[in-house]
Amino acid sequence: MKWEMVKPKAMNSGRSTPFASVGRGKLALSAAACKLVENHEEYEDAQLMKAKSNGKLFVGIRLLKEYSADAFHISRKKVNGKVITGMEISNKHVMEVLFGVSGSADKTTQYEVRKDEDEENVLVISL
């Protein structure tokens, strides 16, 4: 049998495409999404927001360096004792409010992530 190698396109690769995975009561940001914000590793907490524009729903993630009463703690995974790039926010109820059934489903749904044009520390998810 002659095998032909299939290579992912750079823009479709999970390593280079900013995305958020939502499900199981969690919102996880890919390394590429985190890298949209300069010095992303300095942020410890996040505020979750929602907005509508032209009938379309958006979820905003404002990254914070200091705790605020209305913020959620950001978790980061470690591999071999080293923190890897990526962030996770867990709260089943809030994920259901923001993403509906997808927020608590046993599977994850991926959404594109972009940086807010007006604020350096805000990421935007289009639903």
Side-chain angles (χ1 to χ4, degrees):
M1 203 177 303
K2 184 178 177 185
W3 294 101
E4 181 181 333
M5 185 62 66
V6 178
K7 296 181 182 180
K9 293 181 181 179
M11 291 308 292
N12 292 334
S13 170
R15 291 178 290 242
S16 63
T17 304
F19 67 88
S21 296
V22 176
R24 297 179 181 93
K26 299 176 186 178
L27 181 148
L29 295 172
S30 69
C34 293
K35 289 178 181 177
L36 293 173
V37 175
E38 193 172 319
N39 299 317
H40 60 85
E41 58 280 334
E42 295 178 5
Y43 294 93
E44 305 250 339
D45 298 287
Q47 293 172 318
L48 299 176
M49 309 167 288
K50 62 182 178 176
K52 268 193 173 181
S53 179
N54 297 326
K56 191 168 184 175
L57 183 62
F58 297 90
V59 173
I61 305 164
R62 177 176 288 125
L63 301 175
L64 304 171
K65 292 183 180 179
E66 294 181 15
Y67 176 76
S68 172
D70 56 356
F72 299 89
H73 182 68
I74 295 170
S75 299
R76 292 185 172 84
K77 293 183 181 180
K78 288 185 179 182
V79 175
N80 297 328
K82 182 181 176 189
V83 176
I84 61 170
T85 305
M87 300 179 189
E88 190 174 275
I89 300 168
S90 299
N91 187 302
K92 187 175 181 177
H93 174 72
V94 172
M95 295 308 141
E96 287 177 342
V97 168
L98 292 173
F99 298 96
V101 179
S102 297
S104 61
D106 282 336
K107 63 177 185 163
T108 59
T109 304
Q110 288 188 348
Y111 300 93
E112 280 188 39
V113 175
R114 65 177 169 81
K115 187 175 176 181
D116 187 276
E117 297 169 3
D118 300 321
E119 296 186 59
E120 282 294 312
N121 62 329
V122 175
L123 298 173
V124 179
I125 300 171
S126 304
L127 303 185

